[in-house]
Amino acid sequence: MAADRKKPPRPGRARSPREGTPATDRLVRIVLRRRKSPLSREEVMVTDRPEVRRAVSAAALGNMMEWFDFGVYAYLAAVLGKVFFPDSSPGVQVISSFATFAAAFLVRPLGGLAFGPLGDRIGRQRVLAATMIMMAVSTFAVGLLPGYGTVGLLAPVLLLVCRLVQGFSTGGEYAGATTYIAEYSPDERRGFLGSWLDFGTFVGYALGSALVTTLTATLGEGTMVDWGWRLPFLLSGPLGLIGLYMRMRLEETPAFRAAAAVGMGKDPDQSPGALAKHAEEGRQSGHGRLKETFTRHWQAVLICMGLVVVYNVTSYLVTSYLPTYMTETLGRDSTTSQLLILCTMIVVALTITTVGRYSDVWGRRPVFMAGSVALVALAIPALLLIRAQGVVLQAVGCLILGLLLVCFAGTAASTLPALFPTRLRYGALSVSYNISVSLFGGTTPLVVSALIENTHNQMIPAYYLMAAGAIGFVSAFYLYETAGRPLRGSGPMVESEEEARELVARSRVEAGRRARDVWMRLRHHGHRNHTEP
């Protein structure tokens, strides 16, 4: 019969339906290799050290000039109140001066909306040169303004206009500078190189505050009110020309050049479909980029804003408000108070690159979390020391706040740009950063001084710092660690050809190991399915 003529089954294990034929096995292995493909040498970018040094220097100089203005304005707040608001009481003069200071932050998001998407479309270098020109001209113009005694109400109006131009230009400055340095830095040193940007911040603040302190001690308060306050602002003109010269000599960042090349269809490794997609992304309007930022990357936006809150509230309270708090609220000698803050800024500047270097080892997330917890725990003790009698205790309190500030300042420039992909980085960071700064950072001196004026509670600054620390901790808790890793949307960056070869070789070994592990699990799964009854 037909049933009797069937061939007996072959000895050994029968093939599982999941295992397929030898040809299928070979096809699966090919697919696995392609899915886990190692890095090629072309995908690893080797940075040019002199070019990186120029990029960091030019970006840091622009930030230094911005904070030179902040330092000057913070230390001259009481003087400017007498020049532009002479009919008010001393407390109202300070509030009015800080209100003008805070007004510049209200237009910073507008500057971020204008400059950020533009930097993603035409390049980082051009936008940074434009912001430098606007910032230098508006700061220089403050030194030429007439006082209230000369033109009446027009004087504070002109001061407000200059501050608004400064705020608009600054809206594209910090985000662009951090983006520029991050896209030039090798992955293993991004924290260290990024910290030089904020090193420029505190050096600029220290120079501005030192200049005002020296002028006040030399000329006296009466002369400062008459004409001495103009000198620091006029000095910003030559500084701006130097910064503009350095920025005009810069090249575009490697990450932006690579993204632009793909968008123009110059990458031979891209499929036609991928090239069309990148070309469409390159043509995307600023509105389209912002819409994508807030719909697809809203988690990164919230994390960025939270980290900016804790950094900038601490920074502006210590740098911009604390000198006025010590003199106007606590009634301390102005020269002594200014020297204490100046020494604190020097300590911050000397330690900031060390924190940046160790963030490359420990990670950005642990540094932000530790700083936030310490801020909540130490804000009240630090302020009590500042309120105590005796210069030594006051210096210890200022030093505590300075060391807390450096935890955020040393890691911000390398942490924030890594939250967003290359093609959206400048715009997304500009908007996120400036909204947060406008609402919670630059308004800190105004809000704290107004709260103290109305509540007569001199511990308000500590409570404000504690709230910022809590927000920073929550944001850092959800932060994805980026230390030592490539930026989103960019390939790896190293410092030498030897490191590039080692990275490619290590990538090949790891890719082969991953593919083998997946293949072995697949074979084991098929064997188990066959042996089960």
Side-chain angles (χ1 to χ4, degrees), residues 112 311 375:
Y311 174 28
L375 187 62

Side-chain angles (χ1 to χ4, degrees), residues 133-444:
I133 294 174
M134 292 182 64
M135 191 161 33
V137 171
S138 57
T139 304
F140 182 78
V142 173
L144 302 176
L145 294 180
Y148 186 92
T150 303
V151 295
L153 289 175
L154 183 60
V157 171
L158 292 175
L159 177 63
L160 178 62
V161 170
C162 290
R163 290 297 300 166
L164 292 178
V165 175
Q166 288 173 331
F168 187 82
S169 64
T170 306
E173 173 62 32
Y174 186 80
T178 56
T179 295
Y180 198 88
I181 291 181
E183 292 181 351
Y184 251 115
S185 303
D187 299 332
E188 298 294 333
R189 300 185 67 209
R190 189 173 299 118
F192 173 68
L193 294 174
S195 65
W196 284 98
L197 179 67
D198 288 278
F199 172 83
T201 293
F202 294 102
V203 168
Y205 183 90
L207 289 175
S209 57
L211 179 59
V212 172
T213 302
T214 303
L215 289 174
T216 302
T218 303
L219 301 177
E221 186 174 347
T223 305
M224 289 296 293
V225 173
D226 289 338
W227 56 268
W229 64 271
R230 300 179 183 275
L231 298 179
F233 293 107
L234 295 177
L235 185 60
S236 66
L239 288 177
L241 292 176
I242 296 172
L244 179 62
Y245 170 75
M246 294 185 65
R247 287 193 173 179
M248 292 298 292
R249 296 178 63 239
L250 293 176
E251 300 290 336
E252 194 49 79
T253 67
F256 181 83
R257 291 199 301 264
V262 171
M264 296 173 62
K266 295 181 179 179
D267 189 348
D269 296 328
Q270 292 288 334
S271 64
L275 289 175
K277 177 183 177 183
H278 286 296
E280 179 63 28
E281 290 175 346
R283 292 191 296 267
Q284 190 177 14
S285 66
H287 175 75
R289 292 171 188 268
L290 291 175
K291 181 179 179 181
E292 181 179 348
T293 297
F294 285 100
T295 55
R296 298 183 56 187
H297 303 282
W298 60 270
Q299 299 99 326
V301 170
L302 292 178
I303 292 173
C304 178
M305 292 179 66
L307 297 178
V308 172
V309 166
V310 66
Y311 174 28
N312 279 272
V313 166
T314 308
S315 178
Y316 286 110
L317 193 141
V318 174
T319 59
S320 299
Y321 179 69
L322 203 53
T324 303
Y325 173 78
M326 296 176 71
T327 56
E328 299 298 321
T329 303
L330 301 182
R332 302 289 162 72
D333 177 68
S334 60
T335 302
T336 302
S337 302
Q338 291 173 353
L339 285 174
L340 285 176
I341 305 301
L342 176 59
C343 292
T344 302
M345 293 302 100
I346 293 174
V347 171
V348 172
L350 292 176
T351 56
I352 192 169
T353 56
T354 302
V355 173
R357 185 191 301 274
Y358 279 105
S359 76
D360 287 324
V361 179
W362 300 333
R364 328 289 189 222
R365 189 167 176 264
V367 176
F368 259 108
M369 293 184 72
S372 299
V373 171
L375 187 62
V376 174
L378 298 177
I380 290 178
L383 200 67
L384 290 175
L385 288 171
I386 292 173
R387 294 178 58 194
Q389 298 298 321
V391 176
V392 175
L393 293 179
Q394 296 168 17
V396 172
C398 292
L399 180 62
I400 291 174
L401 292 181
L403 294 178
L404 293 174
L405 173 59
V406 82
C407 293
F408 314 125
T411 53
S414 55
T415 303
L416 302 180
L419 292 169
F420 304 102
T422 299
R423 55 176 296 273
L424 299 173
R425 182 170 296 125
Y426 198 156
L429 181 53
S430 290
V431 175
S432 306
Y433 180 88
N434 287 301
I435 289 176
S436 187
V437 170
S438 298
L439 295 177
F440 306 105
T443 58
T444 294

